[in-house]
Amino acid sequence: MDRLLIIDDDLETTRIWSDYFSARGYDVHYANDTASGIDKARALHPGCILLDVRFDEEGDEAGYFACKKLREFYAEPIIMLSAYKVDPLEKVQGLEFGATGYLEKTVSLRELEGWVKAQMRTFGQQVY
């Protein structure tokens, strides 16, 4: 079973994504702040992380710094997501901080799943 970690402070987004991926056989875990997300990534070593860029309580760029911190020990895919229209330079910044993909949250669930599967395959994980 593929393990997925969602790090996002938007509880509705987390619920929707968790329900969607759980229904498709993923072992889904989530954290609603970057500190607990980093701790869960260290403990669970998920096959892929979906990481929000902005956290209301932590700041507009908290996801970038969380990504950088995750890269100190985590070598698997990290897909960053933003609820806002993303400037191409912001995407580049996310990639420079260690993300392997950067999407806007308007992405369909099916496309998001496609990204997760493609990233996991690229990183040598067997996906179903």
Side-chain angles (χ1 to χ4, degrees), residues 8-72:
D8 195 317
D9 63 342
D10 182 327
L11 299 178
E12 183 66 10
T13 296
T14 301
R15 184 193 62 75
I16 291 168
W17 290 353
S18 182
D19 289 351
Y20 179 86
F21 282 100
S22 293
R24 280 147 185 79
Y26 290 81
D27 179 21
V28 181
H29 299 264
Y30 60 89
N32 297 118
D33 62 78
T34 59
S36 60
I38 291 167
D39 289 344
K40 284 188 177 189
R42 194 181 310 273
L44 298 170
H45 199 77
C48 184
I49 295 175
L50 300 179
L51 175 61
D52 189 20
V53 174
R54 292 174 175 85
F55 288 76
D56 290 339
E57 300 295 319
E58 299 178 58
D60 286 349
E61 296 186 345
Y64 295 124
F65 296 105
C67 187
K68 186 174 184 178
K69 188 75 173 167
L70 287 163
R71 284 296 177 221
E72 293 175 5

Side-chain angles (χ1 to χ4, degrees), residues 74 77 121:
Y74 182 77
R121 272 194 310 273

Side-chain angles (χ1 to χ4, degrees), residues 39-128:
D39 289 344
K40 284 188 177 189
R42 194 181 310 273
L44 298 170
H45 199 77
C48 184
I49 295 175
L50 300 179
L51 175 61
D52 189 20
V53 174
R54 292 174 175 85
F55 288 76
D56 290 339
E57 300 295 319
E58 299 178 58
D60 286 349
E61 296 186 345
Y64 295 124
F65 296 105
C67 187
K68 186 174 184 178
K69 188 75 173 167
L70 287 163
R71 284 296 177 221
E72 293 175 5
F73 65 89
Y74 182 77
E76 305 303 320
I78 300 173
I79 301 172
M80 295 189 83
L81 294 112
S82 176
Y84 302 95
K85 181 76 175 151
V86 180
D87 180 285
L89 293 177
E90 288 182 59
K91 289 183 179 185
V92 170
Q93 183 179 4
L95 297 171
E96 288 175 345
F97 271 82
T100 56
Y102 196 126
L103 304 169
E104 294 176 16
K105 286 185 176 179
T106 55
V107 66
S108 72
L109 289 170
R110 180 63 190 102
E111 183 179 354
L112 182 57
E113 183 184 13
W115 270 90
V116 168
K117 285 182 175 183
Q119 291 286 308
M120 292 175 81
R121 272 194 310 273
T122 298
F123 280 76
Q125 298 174 38
Q126 183 175 2
V127 293
Y128 49 92

